[in-house]
Amino acid sequence: GAGRIELCAGLVEGGTTPSMGLLQVVKQCVRVPVFVMIRPRGGDFLYSDREVEVMKADIRLAKLHGADGLVFGALTEDGRIDTELCTALLAVCRPLPVTFHRAFDMVHDPLVALETLISLGFERVLTSGCDSSALEGLSLIKRLAEQAKGRIVVVPGGGITERNLQRILEGSTASEFHCSARSARDSGMKFRNPNVAMGASFSAPEYSIKVADVAKVRTLNAIAKNIL
């Protein structure tokens, strides 16, 4: 029942650019639009010239392999939308629709930033209302949606679950929402070495796999349809 997929790798880091192999296989398996995350690394959204080259190359490859839209964000060192870089990346993305991701939640002035995104031509902005989750940032999300007046789609995202979705949709007047709808699945490995970790200490354990939960997607979709 999902209407769109935001495809990314590295969910522990908040999402990074997926492999083109993943995009190819996903496009073979689903019929809903697939929007591809363009984010060369975790961390902040202030990018070097080399990282910009990578982003442009990834956009071209994603388009080549069937992306239906792109998702990116870029900021200046003083916390404003990087209009110059966004303009250059948008030009590579066209004619596909583009979403500005939760880099928006790190801006200095969200109301000014929203106008900038509208003037640049972004179709959507994903935000938790500049707070730790969409529920905490609900009042700002509502204010942004009112300010947008349909010129850009304000999409709440961040910590959305079946327990709080109704409050978020009703409180924000949003027409779309974004969530991972994931759960943990135990690894099929029978032999396990507890002494070795493949990533940093804060990364997900090797013998627990995060998967999109079909039941959660259906439940969230049913809640949304009831409200929207």
Side-chain angles (χ1 to χ4, degrees):
R4 185 169 60 247
I5 291 171
E6 183 186 282
L7 190 66
C8 34
L11 287 185
V12 172
E13 294 185 293
T16 53
T17 307
S19 76
M20 292 304 110
L22 177 61
L23 174 58
Q24 275 188 300
V25 173
V26 168
K27 283 294 295 181
Q28 290 165 10
C29 295
V30 303
R31 293 289 166 263
V32 296
V34 178
F35 280 39
V36 176
M37 170 74 80
I38 303 296
R39 188 177 174 221
R41 56 162 173 79
D44 66 29
F45 304 100
L46 182 66
Y47 295 112
S48 69
D49 291 345
R50 283 283 185 255
E51 286 169 335
V52 171
E53 285 181 36
V54 172
M55 293 169 86
K56 287 179 178 177
D58 280 333
I59 290 167
R60 293 187 189 102
L61 285 167
K63 287 171 75 175
L64 194 65
H65 292 294
D68 299 289
L70 287 310
V71 182
F72 69 79
L75 304 178
T76 60
E77 61 184 12
D78 59 351
R80 300 175 203 281
I81 305 295
D82 189 334
T83 54
E84 187 179 343
L85 176 51
C86 285
T87 300
L89 293 176
L90 281 165
V92 185
C93 291
R94 294 309 185 205
L96 297 182
V98 185
T99 300
F100 193 94
H101 60 41
R102 285 187 62 204
F104 185 85
D105 293 322
M106 304 301 190
V107 297
H108 177 68
D109 186 330
L111 303 183
V112 170
L114 185 71
E115 292 303 322
T116 303
L117 296 184
I118 292 166
S119 68
L120 286 170
F122 283 90
E123 278 79 8
R124 289 178 179 82
V125 55
L126 175 63
T127 178
S128 62
C130 301
D131 215 320
S132 56
S133 74
L135 194 59
E136 270 82 17
L138 196 52
S139 60
L140 179 59
I141 295 171
K142 185 182 183 190
R143 192 173 171 191
L144 291 166
E146 288 168 350
Q147 180 182 322
K149 292 188 175 73
R151 294 174 296 160
I152 190 171
V153 182
V154 177
V155 184
I160 293 181
T161 68
E162 53 269 52
R163 291 186 299 280
N164 60 26
L165 177 61
Q166 183 170 344
R167 284 168 66 192
I168 290 166
L169 289 180
E170 289 176 346
S172 66
T173 67
S175 59
E176 300 181 10
F177 69 98
H178 167 102
C179 63
S180 62
R182 59 185 151 167
S183 61
R185 187 183 73 202
D186 193 43
S187 164
M189 287 291 295
K190 288 187 169 57
F191 173 77
R192 303 184 179 193
N193 183 349
N195 303 315
V196 179
M198 291 296 130
S201 56
F202 60 82
S203 66
E206 271 66 47
Y207 300 108
S208 177
I209 303 162
K210 296 288 186 185
V211 294
D213 189 315
V214 173
K216 284 187 179 181
V217 174
R218 286 186 175 137
T219 302
L220 287 157
N221 205 39
I223 293 167
K225 279 186 172 172
N226 196 38
I227 296 162
L228 303 175

